[in-house]
């Protein structure tokens, strides 16, 4: 296996579309890295440039120590797994797996041995005689992966391989792919638009927007410390609550004023950089799990609002509360809102925002009733609304 390095890589199509812009990213040998972002963010183009299926405009791509800019796809020693499986329907599973080795001129006994080994890794040792039409969608995807693995390439490239599967099978296959990748120790670049898929599978997650890398880190670090409004809103399901607030300071104590309510910023959340924003409007970000009914007992203040929706998930209640506040409306948040962008703009004009909380059963929340909310301000996030960047610790 080998590392993959993007060194100031840019891709501009003939019509002037800038698909990827100055991408700097290094994937370590044996690492599973996920490229994630909305449609059109450049993630698939970046993957195709590694494969040699797209020419880059500027920069270098290295696989191991080799600069591969001028190499043909077959010379790069990479294997690509697509969403449509691309299996030969007239061949058995075993023949599909062994086909790349047959094309290399490997002897039949060696092919047979290698196919059996990969079949066992895939958990399909007893299905090698079947044709693709006799397999489920998940089994076909495993065969497609096996055909890539059997070549023992330096790098695996996966382009939304689970997008054709139903929700339940996708969850199952996420675990299967992670298990197989760990077992073979393959350097893997995985592309998806599904942030849950990205967070559950990747050792590191690279978030892209409009061709630019926004943040690359472990799933935990990206979730807990998003670098800007785009990452904060894009990562997390449900998304982070983002509302505008006036930051004030009195007797050395900072507080966020939201409508008629006031939330005290605890000492552990007061940062040197934050003091520069006193008297200004900033973005306050709060994850749904940090919004709870009632008073948290810390004396930090509460919000109040009307319950508009209660989603019963069995294990918890996803509770939507309308409060007197202005939601954060920027190019980044509107882009993620998509079809709901106009509704978000209406909420901003009407000075009302929807806050989502993860409530336990017995919370006392009732539809169309007013409720007080405590916010764990020690775990809150603050954003500069002019730059969209997180205010650093």
């Amino acid at each position: 296996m080998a590392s993959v390095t993007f060194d100031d890589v840019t891709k501009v199509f003939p019509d002037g579309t800038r698909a990827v812009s100055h991408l700097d990213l290094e994937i370590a040998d044996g690492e599973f890295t996920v490229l994630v972002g909305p449609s059109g963010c450049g993630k698939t183009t970046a993957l195709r440039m590694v494969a040699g299926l797209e020419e880059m405009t500027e920069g270098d791509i290295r696989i191991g120590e080799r600069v591969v800019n001028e190499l043909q796809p077959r010379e790069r020693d990479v294997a690509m797994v697509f969403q449509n499986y691309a299996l030969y329907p007239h061949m058995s599973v075993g023949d599909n797996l062994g086909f790349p080795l047959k094309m290399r001129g490997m002897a039949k006994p060696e092919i047979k041995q290698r196919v059996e080994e990969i079949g066992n890794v895939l958990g399909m040792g007893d299905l090698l005689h079947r044709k693709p039409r006799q397999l489920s969608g998940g089994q076909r995807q495993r065969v497609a992966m096996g055909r890539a693995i059997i070549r023992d390439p330096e790098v695996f490239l996966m382009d939304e391989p689970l997008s054709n599967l139903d929700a339940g099978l996708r969850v199952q296959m996420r675990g299967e792919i992670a298990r197989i990748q760990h077992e073979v120790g393959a350097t893997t670049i995985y592309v998806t638009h599904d942030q849950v898929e990205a967070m559950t599978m990747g050792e590191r997650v690279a978030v892209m927007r409009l061709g630019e890398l926004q943040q690359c880190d472990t799933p935990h670090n990206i979730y807990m410390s998003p670098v800007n409004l785009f990452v904060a809103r894009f990562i997390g399901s449900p998304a982070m609550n983002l509302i505008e607030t006036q930051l004030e300071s009195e007797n050395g104590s900072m507080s966020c004023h939201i409508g008629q309510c006031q939330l005290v910023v605890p000492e552990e959340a007061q940062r040197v950089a934050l003091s520069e924003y006193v008297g200004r409007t900033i973005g306050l970000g709060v994850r749904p799990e940090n919004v709870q009914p009632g008073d948290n007992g810390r004396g930090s203040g509460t919000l109040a609002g009307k319950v508009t929706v209660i989603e019963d998930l069995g294990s918890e209640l996803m509770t939507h509360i309308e409060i007197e506040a202005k939601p954060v409306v920027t190019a980044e948040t509107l882009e993620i809102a998509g079809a709901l962008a106009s509704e978000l703009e209406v909420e901003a004009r009407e000075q009302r925002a929807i806050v989502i909380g993860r409530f336990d059963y017995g919370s006392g929340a009732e539809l169309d009733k007013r409720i007080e909310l405590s916010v764990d301000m020690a775990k809150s996030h603050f954003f500069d609304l002019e730059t969209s960047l997180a205010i650093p610790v």
Side-chain angles (χ1 to χ4, degrees):
M1 301 300 167
S3 61
V4 177
T5 304
F6 295 84
D7 187 0
D8 198 27
V9 172
T10 294
K11 171 65 179 182
V12 182
F13 286 103
D15 65 358
T17 300
R18 182 174 285 265
V20 176
S21 185
H22 303 292
L23 177 59
D24 287 308
L25 179 63
E26 184 169 352
I27 295 107
D29 185 0
E31 185 178 50
F32 194 124
T33 296
V34 180
L35 304 184
V36 66
S39 297
C41 72
K43 56 189 184 294
T44 294
T45 301
L47 193 78
R48 289 174 61 85
M49 286 192 288
V50 177
L53 302 178
E54 292 283 359
E55 293 184 4
M56 68 194 72
T57 306
E58 298 174 11
D60 293 318
I61 292 178
R62 292 193 299 275
I63 298 178
E65 300 301 319
R66 297 184 303 157
V67 176
V68 298
N69 298 19
E70 305 300 326
L71 297 184
Q72 294 297 312
R74 65 178 179 274
E75 300 173 313
R76 299 189 180 203
D77 198 14
V78 301
M80 199 158 182
V81 180
F82 299 94
Q83 60 184 339
N84 61 358
Y85 317 135
L87 302 178
Y88 297 109
H90 63 287
M91 292 185 182
S92 68
V93 168
D95 289 340
N96 265 285
L97 291 173
F99 186 74
L101 303 183
K102 180 180 178 181
M103 296 302 294
R104 289 184 175 183
M106 184 179 287
K108 288 184 178 180
E110 293 179 77
I111 293 177
K112 184 174 183 295
Q113 179 182 350
R114 185 68 175 141
V115 166
E116 290 175 352
E117 291 173 354
I118 295 300
N120 290 331
V121 169
L122 299 173
M124 301 183 67
D126 58 342
L127 301 178
L128 297 178
H129 63 284
R130 293 193 182 181
K131 298 287 178 63
R133 66 176 178 274
Q134 298 173 292
L135 304 178
S136 67
Q139 289 170 332
R140 292 179 195 176
Q141 192 55 269
R142 274 189 277 172
V143 176
M145 284 188 62
R147 195 169 59 184
I149 293 169
I150 204 167
R151 290 174 45 197
D152 196 24
E154 291 192 314
V155 179
F156 292 105
L157 307 174
M158 300 189 183
D159 187 12
E160 305 219 33
L162 306 183
S163 60
N164 285 341
L165 305 181
D166 61 49
L169 195 51
R170 285 183 72 151
V171 173
Q172 178 186 340
M173 283 304 298
R174 289 204 305 253
E176 284 291 299
I177 290 177
R179 176 188 65 80
I180 292 168
Q181 189 273 340
H182 178 74
E183 191 164 329
V184 301
T187 304
T188 303
I189 306 176
Y190 186 104
V191 161
T192 181
H193 66 277
D194 185 334
Q195 56 94 10
V196 175
E197 197 169 286
M199 297 289 279
T200 55
M201 296 180 71
E203 294 176 63
R204 284 195 306 154
V205 176
V207 183
M208 297 187 67
R209 173 182 180 254
L210 301 177
E212 297 183 353
L213 179 65
Q214 303 294 298
Q215 185 173 1
C216 183
D217 210 326
T218 64
H220 176 79
N221 288 345
I222 283 183
Y223 187 82
M224 299 302 293
S225 303
V227 298
N228 58 31
L229 283 168
F230 179 83
V231 177
R233 188 72 178 175
F234 187 77
I235 296 296
S237 181
M240 181 184 289
N241 299 299
L242 291 168
I243 52 181
E244 290 191 7
T245 180
Q246 185 82 8
L247 184 65
E248 301 293 348
S249 178
E250 185 176 352
N251 298 324
S253 177
M254 291 185 190
S255 59
C256 292
H257 291 254
I258 302 167
Q260 301 301 312
C261 300
Q262 177 177 314
L263 299 175
V264 176
V265 182
E267 289 186 11
E268 59 265 39
Q270 293 187 26
R271 312 158 188 179
V272 173
L274 193 59
S275 63
E276 299 176 7
Y277 290 83
V278 171
R280 294 170 58 182
T281 299
I282 61 173
L284 171 65
V286 183
R287 293 288 184 191
E289 60 268 26
N290 297 322
V291 177
Q292 293 297 316
D295 186 357
N296 61 13
R298 299 186 59 177
S300 60
T302 59
L303 296 176
K306 185 179 78 170
V307 176
T308 59
V309 175
I310 298 178
E311 299 174 285
D312 190 339
L313 302 184
S315 60
E316 60 187 352
L317 301 173
M318 212 64 70
T319 309
H320 300 231
I321 307 99
E322 183 182 289
I323 66 171
E324 183 185 339
K326 185 176 180 180
V328 171
V329 177
T330 64
E332 292 84 358
T333 55
L334 289 175
E335 181 182 342
I336 296 170
L340 298 176
S342 58
E343 184 177 331
L344 188 63
E345 290 177 312
V346 168
E347 290 174 3
R349 286 197 300 272
E350 296 181 353
Q351 297 286 314
R352 59 184 176 88
I354 299 297
V355 169
I356 299 177
R358 291 182 181 270
F359 291 1
D360 294 329
Y361 278 87
S363 65
E366 295 182 40
L367 202 60
D368 295 326
K369 300 291 186 181
R370 287 189 64 79
I371 187 174
E372 282 197 339
L373 302 172
S374 66
V375 176
D376 189 345
M377 292 296 288
K379 297 179 180 177
S380 57
H381 303 262
F382 303 97
F383 299 91
D384 184 319
L385 295 180
E386 293 183 5
T387 66
S388 292
L389 298 177
I391 300 173
V393 176

